[in-house]
Amino acid sequence: MFTQSFLYYLKQREHELNEIFNSTPEAIVIYDIETSKIIDCNKQTQTLYGYSKEELIGKHLGTLSANDENYNVAEATKWVQKALTVGPQTYTWLGKKKSGETFWTEISLKKSRIGGVDRLMAVVRDITERVAHQHEIERREKEFREIFNATAEAILIYDPHDKTLIDCNNRALEMYGYSSKKELLSSKMEDLSANVEPYTYDKVGYYSRKAATEGPQRFDWLAKSKNGKHFWIEVNLRLTKIGGAERELIVIRDITDRKKFEDDLVKAKEKAEESDRLKSAFLANLSHEIRTPMNAIMGFSDLLKFTQDEQKRKEYIDTIQKSGFRLLDIINETIEIAKLDTGLIKTNLETFSLDQLMQDIYNEMKIKTLGNKELELIYLPPNTKAETFIYTDRVKLQQILINLITNGIKYTPRGAVAYGFEIKGNSVVFNVKDTGIGINRKNREMVFKRFYRVENPLTIKVGGIGLGLAITKAYTELLGGTIELDSELGKGTSVTVILPFLTGEPKAEVFVEIPPDQLKGDSELILVAEDDDYNFMYINEILHQFNYKCIRATNGEEAVKIAQNNDNIRLILMDLKMPKMDGFKAFEEIKKLKPQIPIVAQTAYAQNEEKIKIETYGFDGYLIKPLRKDELLRLVNERIKYR
């Protein structure tokens, strides 16, 4: 009786355990440890893998694995050994159904004593959906990380409570010059700021507080890279939740180029305004400077009509001539600066004696000091007996030195103006020094700017339009040199010009000095091609006084016809700018007909480029307007008598 009851109890208990075994949501597989074969499994195993129990019993350990490179019998055996020796193991595994479909599982593997025998029990859960979700999360996180690192802006994630950097993207590393994320994240926020007023770290806290109370903040900031270099950034700062925690999201854009552009715009605006101001002052000064000599010319010309006193007439004529030369200087400087602005000035390089040039300058400039007995002009020759030759633009170098010496004379009421040169290695150093009024510090750089004049009683008295030093600086740079000015108010000024010292073969120059009594003509006929009545009257009067005869052409076409039909013409004075046909074209036509007739150009364009063009065409000389009597007579005499 007892035995039957006990047997019934055991069967009932076995039935209950079997029900539990087969009703669990996880698959349960029991393996024989020695053979690694399946000896039992529950219904969920059959459902999950698609096998019947009969098909599974006796199958090897690898039957339910994907059996690929990572999930195969060898790898499964490793997990079995861990479970047997170390203890229960839980891991992710790629299983395979009867149909061949693979799917993700989580396996809990442990050694269990079943029926008095040690067995290996595997509890298997289908985690395909979970893995899919995990892969989707990983994919999205990878995409986010790629976007995070691909942005043109630097991104920093900051913990405002711990005051630590949590994360950053690659652009942040590049922008701040750090080699690794770990290195940057270990830095403090103040390490990334220039920390110069007003861009100090405490100001960052101000924007953080505003972001917390008012919302996102945007502002410009001066940042500092790892190497200490400062650069401009635009910061977008917002307080947000990341991973459930409060964080500051800081998006940073490098705006160094934009700031430079803005600064350049401001400077350009200021420069334009300054240029407008200087030009306005220049025009006002130009008007004054032109009217002053013009007033003298017109006034003293009027006085000549009513004055019979010979001494006074000479004084008036002298004043008119000086005013005319002053007016010519003003016009030349204005034209020259315009040509410099348009890039029309070119260099005409030649080899010449520097010693001779310096002596010529002395002879020319000495005349300007004759009226002031308290002022001395001094030429300081180099400490060498050998003559120095240089290869550069003679005309421009001469103009540089004359401009500087003229300035020295103008602004030195008493004392001395000294100039000279010396060779230093591959450079020639010119120096012009005076004991004049000097220039204060703020005006030293300004004096080289166009249209600028230092205003004081002496500068107003001596006049000028503020272009001389600007032209001097431009010429110096055109010749590949530099110019420096050192001055002390009340003590004088020293200007140093340094040019490359280049040498070449000097050109032989022949100059025939004609005695004044030999300048008279012998009634030779000269064709004057000149469209301006007053210019012709002036030329005709001079030539008539010196026994030459003149006939006139008022344009180029007329000049060609007269030259063709008159065999008595000995010389042609050709104005280059005339109506109908200019002087260059007329020159070509006449030379085709009568190549033996010398033709001398007359031009109001006194620049070196015009002279080169005249020489290239083959003219037999040129005269620069306004014409000087002695130059006109000398050239006419040379071309007629010494041809």
Side-chain angles (χ1 to χ4, degrees):
M1 184 77 148
F2 174 77
T3 304
Q4 288 180 349
S5 298
F6 183 69
L7 289 173
Y8 175 78
Y9 171 77
L10 288 176
K11 286 182 179 181
Q12 185 68 27
R13 185 63 179 161
E14 183 181 0
H15 177 75
E16 290 175 357
L17 291 173
N18 197 48
E19 285 289 327
I20 293 170
F21 182 63
N22 286 308
S23 63
T24 59
E26 291 87 4
I28 300 174
V29 183
I30 298 172
Y31 290 92
D32 180 77
I33 293 176
E34 291 184 4
T35 63
S36 296
K37 292 182 178 180
I38 299 172
I39 59 172
D40 200 359
C41 66
N42 66 353
K43 288 183 178 180
Q44 183 59 24
T45 303
Q46 299 166 52
T47 302
L48 186 61
Y49 286 96
Y51 289 96
S52 65
K53 186 172 183 177
E54 290 72 20
E55 288 175 312
L56 286 173
I57 299 300
K59 295 293 185 184
H60 195 269
L61 183 69
T63 302
L64 304 180
S65 295
N67 285 315
D68 61 9
E69 184 179 353
N70 298 311
Y71 303 98
N72 49 48
V73 174
E75 292 299 319
T77 302
K78 292 178 184 177
W79 285 109
V80 169
Q81 291 302 316
K82 283 185 180 181
L84 294 175
T85 57
V86 179
Q89 301 291 316
T90 299
Y91 54 93
T92 299
W93 195 256
L94 189 62
K96 184 171 71 175
K97 298 182 180 183
K98 181 181 179 181
S99 64
E101 178 189 352
T102 58
F103 65 104
W104 289 102
T105 63
E106 181 183 79
I107 299 176
S108 294
L109 191 66
K110 63 178 291 188
K111 183 173 73 172
S112 298
R113 195 158 183 84
I114 300 173
V117 181
D118 286 338
R119 303 294 187 194
L120 195 63
M121 184 172 68
V123 178
V124 183
R125 301 175 189 83
D126 186 347
I127 60 169
T128 301
E129 285 189 16
R130 191 177 82 187
V131 170
H133 287 317
Q134 182 64 34
H135 285 171
E136 179 65 16
I137 291 170
E138 289 174 358
R139 184 185 68 79
R140 290 184 178 180
E141 185 176 345
K142 182 182 178 183
E143 286 180 356
F144 163 76
R145 184 59 60 177
E146 288 174 351
I147 294 170
F148 184 64
N149 285 317
T151 57
E153 291 80 14
I155 300 175
L156 300 176
I157 298 174
Y158 182 69
D159 185 339
H161 304 292
D162 291 345
K163 300 189 183 307
T164 56
L165 287 166
I166 303 300
D167 201 357
C168 68
N169 65 352
N170 291 341
R171 178 65 179 129
L173 299 177
E174 179 185 330
M175 188 179 292
Y176 285 92
Y178 286 86
S179 56
S180 69
K181 182 180 287 191
K182 181 180 179 182
E183 185 182 19
L184 177 56
L185 297 182
S186 63
S187 303
K188 296 179 180 179
M189 283 297 285
E190 51 261 47
D191 296 333
L192 308 181
S193 179
N195 283 320
V196 294
E197 286 292 345
Y199 305 100
T200 53
Y201 177 66
D202 57 308
K203 298 292 193 310
V204 177
Y206 162 77
Y207 288 110
S208 294
R209 291 188 293 274
K210 285 195 72 175
T213 57
E214 300 177 16
Q217 299 292 309
R218 185 170 69 180
F219 54 93
D220 292 350
W221 196 257
L222 190 60
K224 183 177 69 175
S225 62
K226 181 184 175 183
N227 64 10
K229 182 181 178 182
H230 293 176
F231 61 99
W232 284 102
I233 59 174
E234 179 187 83
V235 180
N236 283 277
L237 173 67
R238 68 166 60 224
L239 198 63
T240 187
K241 293 274 188 179
I242 298 177
E246 194 172 60
R247 299 286 186 252
E248 283 183 3
L249 179 64
I250 307 168
V251 180
I252 300 167
R253 177 177 297 166
D254 188 334
I255 58 169
T256 302
D257 290 341
R258 190 185 83 189
K259 279 287 187 181
K260 183 179 182 302
F261 178 70
E262 289 172 356
D263 289 345
D264 289 345
L265 278 181
V266 171
K267 289 176 183 176
K269 179 175 176 290
E270 291 173 349
K271 187 175 180 180
E273 289 172 349
E274 175 70 5
S275 179
D276 285 343
R277 187 188 69 77
L278 289 173
K279 283 179 181 177
S280 296
F282 163 71
L283 290 173
N285 189 46
L286 180 63
S287 176
H288 172 268
E289 291 297 326
I290 289 176
R291 288 173 185 273
T292 300
M294 188 61 72
N295 181 65
I297 291 169
M298 296 177 70
F300 283 100
S301 297
D302 190 54
L303 287 175
L304 277 173
K305 298 176 184 177
F306 308 103
T307 303
Q308 301 301 321
D309 187 309
E310 192 61 32
Q311 182 60 35
K312 283 190 175 294
R313 289 178 67 86
K314 287 181 179 179
E315 290 175 4
Y316 294 166
I317 292 170
D318 183 58
T319 301
I320 291 169
Q321 286 183 329
K322 287 180 178 177
S323 298
F325 290 135
R326 182 175 173 186
L327 190 59
L328 184 62
D329 287 341
I330 292 169
I331 293 169
N332 284 340
E333 284 191 354
T334 307
I335 293 172
E336 195 70 2
I337 205 70
K339 295 185 75 174
L340 282 166
D341 279 338
T342 54
L344 294 176
I345 298 292
K346 307 297 181 185
T347 56
N348 181 30
L349 304 178
E350 59 178 307
T351 300
F352 57 91
S353 168
L354 196 51
D355 303 272
Q356 185 61 53
L357 174 67
M358 301 299 272
Q359 190 60 51
D360 291 345
I361 291 172
Y362 179 83
N363 295 337
E364 180 179 344
M365 301 306 296
K366 183 65 178 175
I367 299 170
K368 294 190 176 185
T369 65
L370 294 178
N372 185 353
K373 294 182 179 180
E374 294 184 277
L375 180 62
E376 183 181 6
L377 178 65
I378 303 171
Y379 166 48
L380 302 171
N383 296 322
T384 175
K385 292 182 180 180
E387 191 171 6
T388 303
F389 289 89
I390 187 171
Y391 181 70
T392 188
D393 190 313
R394 188 183 193 281
V395 174
K396 290 180 177 59
L397 176 55
Q398 183 172 1
Q399 194 61 52
I400 289 169
L401 296 173
I402 285 176
N403 282 356
L404 295 175
I405 295 167
T406 300
N407 261 26
I409 292 171
K410 282 166 65 175
Y411 301 118
T412 307
R414 64 185 60 84
V417 176
Y419 72 99
F421 75 93
E422 61 178 326
I423 307 300
K424 289 187 176 180
N426 295 324
S427 300
V428 54
V429 181
F430 300 91
N431 184 258
V432 179
K433 189 172 184 178
D434 65 62
T435 58
I437 60 174
I439 305 168
N440 61 28
R441 185 175 295 276
K442 73 173 185 177
N443 286 316
R444 287 181 193 172
E445 287 300 321
M446 296 297 292
V447 294
F448 290 109
K449 293 186 179 294
R450 295 168 188 187
F451 317 123
Y452 187 85
R453 290 180 74 236
V454 179
E455 294 295 339
N456 61 49
L458 183 56
T459 60
I460 294 171
K461 179 182 176 182
V462 299
I465 55 175
L467 290 178
L469 286 179
I471 293 171
T472 299
K473 186 173 189 290
Y475 276 178
T476 301
E477 292 172 350
L478 198 63
L479 298 181
T482 60
I483 185 167
E484 294 178 359
L485 182 145
D486 186 32
S487 185
E488 189 173 347
L489 199 60
K491 292 189 176 180
T493 300
S494 175
V495 182
T496 302
V497 174
I498 303 175
L499 297 180
F501 181 55
L502 305 173
T503 58
E505 288 297 322
K507 291 194 298 184
E509 295 186 3
V510 178
F511 180 77
V512 179
E513 183 68 40
I514 303 172
D517 59 341
Q518 295 182 19
L519 290 175
K520 281 188 175 291
D522 191 19
S523 299
E524 292 92 340
L525 182 63
I526 298 173
L527 169 60
V528 180
E530 174 60 68
D531 62 318
D532 185 86
D533 293 338
Y534 293 115
N535 282 340
F536 174 72
M537 286 173 60
Y538 175 63
I539 295 170
N540 185 54
E541 184 64 28
I542 293 174
L543 294 177
H544 179 71
Q545 288 178 10
F546 280 76
N547 201 30
Y548 292 101
K549 292 180 181 180
C550 293
I551 54 174
R552 181 187 182 191
T554 57
N555 59 65
E557 286 183 359
E558 190 178 347
V560 174
K561 289 178 182 178
I562 293 173
Q564 183 179 9
N565 297 322
N566 195 326
D567 294 332
N568 295 320
I569 296 171
R570 297 288 304 280
L571 174 69
I572 299 174
L573 298 179
M574 181 73 72
D575 185 27
L576 296 180
K577 189 173 178 60
M578 292 186 294
K580 294 188 178 180
M581 181 187 289
D582 67 27
F584 289 106
K585 182 64 176 174
F587 170 86
E588 290 177 336
E589 295 299 321
I590 293 172
K591 283 294 184 180
K592 289 177 186 176
L593 300 169
K594 295 185 176 181
Q596 76 281 3
I597 297 180
I599 303 176
V600 173
Q602 302 177 72
T603 179
Y605 298 105
Q607 310 309 318
N608 200 45
E609 292 74 20
E610 184 77 1
K611 297 173 185 176
I612 294 171
K613 185 177 179 181
I614 290 169
E615 290 172 353
T616 303
Y617 259 79
F619 279 88
D620 298 280
Y622 59 85
L623 292 165
I624 304 298
K625 295 179 181 179
L627 303 180
R628 298 191 183 189
K629 184 178 73 172
D630 55 343
E631 290 182 357
L632 172 61
L633 291 171
R634 182 182 61 80
L635 194 55
V636 167
N637 188 283
E638 285 178 355
R639 294 301 175 264
I640 291 178
K641 294 186 178 180
Y642 294 91
R643 186 168 176 80

